[in-house]
Amino acid sequence: MTEFGFIDQIRRLFAALPDNGFEGIGDDCAVLPLTDGEALVFTSDLLTEGVHFLRSATTARELGSKSLAVNLSDVAAMGVRPVATLLSIALPRDAAGSWALEFMEGYRALSASYGTPLVGGDTTRSESGITINVTAIGRGAAPCLKRRRDALAGDTVFVAGELGASGTGLQDILAGRPDTPLAAVHRNPQPQVDEGIWLGGRAEVHAMMDLSDGLASDLGHILELSHTGAEIDLERIPVAAGSDLRTAACGGEDYKLLFTAAPEAAERLAAEFQAQFGIPLHPIGRITPDGGLTWLRNGRPEALDWHGFSHY
Ligand code: ADP
Ligand code: MG
């Protein structure tokens, strides 16, 4: 069974239970609208040794920061501000001392950057390997929420940064070269928190998510939930220096925001984003009424068997 097959089964198993006001499984975060026009969002991500990281190829401090970063990215992808986190961690004996303290130092430093207190969690011993689970909570005005299901035919598709650096960095690490600049990018993802909040405030932004599994896979979620297709111009995909087009389209863990916006507002949005953050938005294609995901090279469809990245 694939990861998404299993998640679908879970969704069906719980379909008959009350939702208690929550929008549940399917987006970057679960959403709980409050009575004051605000909403809370919740997300949870797991990192496990040997699958998501190798202890020999990352420092404890980097891992503490990354465990938090990937969750803050999911909150930002909803267009709202992260407000607190919970951390559960299972530690084998050989990681319980200075390793754990260094891990917490990395977690604390990124928490301080975004003003997110650590408000709870759980700590336990592990017989084999480190397992880390972080839950992040966000809060914002309900109309600012950006969901995967809200792309409209004709929208411009944007990514808010260059792609492929993390995927190429992972290839470096797996090839025994942990000291390359892109390997460092892979170990130190920077969530687009301020960018996500800013885009949340823009009504012309329709659907949004963060890129964790790669464009080829993640864009598919927006298309499926919005009942639309998309045409992506291969030559407009922003490839990070040192990476390559295929890794930019299929590699995971870039944690850049992927979103769609009303075409008539797209140019002004990009100019204001550039003025605000000093980096460009990259228009890479457009949403179509249907037809799945089509890659175009110089305007011509190209059949590519490209898929995203999966740990499962
Ligand atoms: P993301 O990459 O943004 O973290 P995923 O692709 O991992 O999202 O998950 C897709 C959706 O499935 C999300 O809404 C997530 O909360 C939900 N999900 C994943 N695993 C589980 C699980 N074991 N139980 C319930 N929901 C899950
Ligand atoms: Mg996500």
Side-chain angles (χ1 to χ4, degrees), residues 27-28 45 70 73-74 77 148 209-212 255:
D27 220 310
D28 292 290
D45 261 294
V70 301
S73 180
D74 274 325
R148 296 176 178 185
M209 68 182 299
D210 68 328
L211 286 168
S212 55
Y255 298 105

Side-chain angles (χ1 to χ4, degrees), residues 117-163:
L118 174 58
V119 297
D122 198 15
T123 306
T124 178
R125 191 163 56 85
S126 163
E127 291 301 337
S128 136
I130 299 165
T131 299
I132 301 149
N133 176 246
V134 174
T135 298
I137 304 165
R139 180 171 186 148
C144 290
L145 287 171
K146 303 300 181 191
R147 298 171 176 86
R148 296 176 178 185
R149 63 171 188 245
D150 288 333
L152 297 175
D155 278 2
T156 303
V157 179
F158 282 104
V159 282
E162 295 177 339
L163 304 180

Side-chain angles (χ1 to χ4, degrees), residues 270-294:
E272 291 181 23
F273 185 93
Q274 167 94 45
Q276 182 76 20
F277 297 106
I279 57 166
L281 288 178
H282 304 273
I284 58 169
R286 64 217 67 81
I287 298 293
T288 56
D290 45 42
L293 171 53
T294 304

